[in-house]
Amino acid sequence: MQNFANAAFPPDMVEAMTSALHAAVATLPEPVHSAHVNIIAESILRTAKGGERDMAILQRIALMELQLTGRP
């Protein structure tokens, strides 16, 4: 996982990121692999750190990045 130690988010943003993570993972077929969850989580953190605040966009970008990685 990338280093996000210096990232800081307000509570409402943490809530949006959490919702995006849960929504994205819910779309994956069972069994859900931890590597997929990590890819999604990293994408959401990176995208939010870049300034995106919309939960739906965070989810969409994370799922697109997961597709591009070839799903390990």
Side-chain angles (χ1 to χ4, degrees), residues 7-28:
F9 301 99
D12 61 323
M13 191 60 227
V14 173
E15 185 177 327
M17 292 187 306
T18 302
S19 295
L21 176 67
H22 288 265
V25 170
T27 68
L28 300 178

Side-chain angles (χ1 to χ4, degrees), residues 16-59:
M17 292 187 306
T18 302
S19 295
L21 176 67
H22 288 265
V25 170
T27 68
L28 300 178
E30 294 287 335
V32 176
H33 298 281
S34 62
H36 298 165
V37 176
N38 283 338
I39 291 167
I40 290 170
E42 283 184 21
S43 173
I44 290 170
L45 283 165
R46 187 174 45 259
T47 305
K49 190 174 177 186
E52 182 56 57
R53 300 292 181 247
D54 186 286
M55 187 275 296
I57 294 173
L58 293 169
Q59 175 190 356

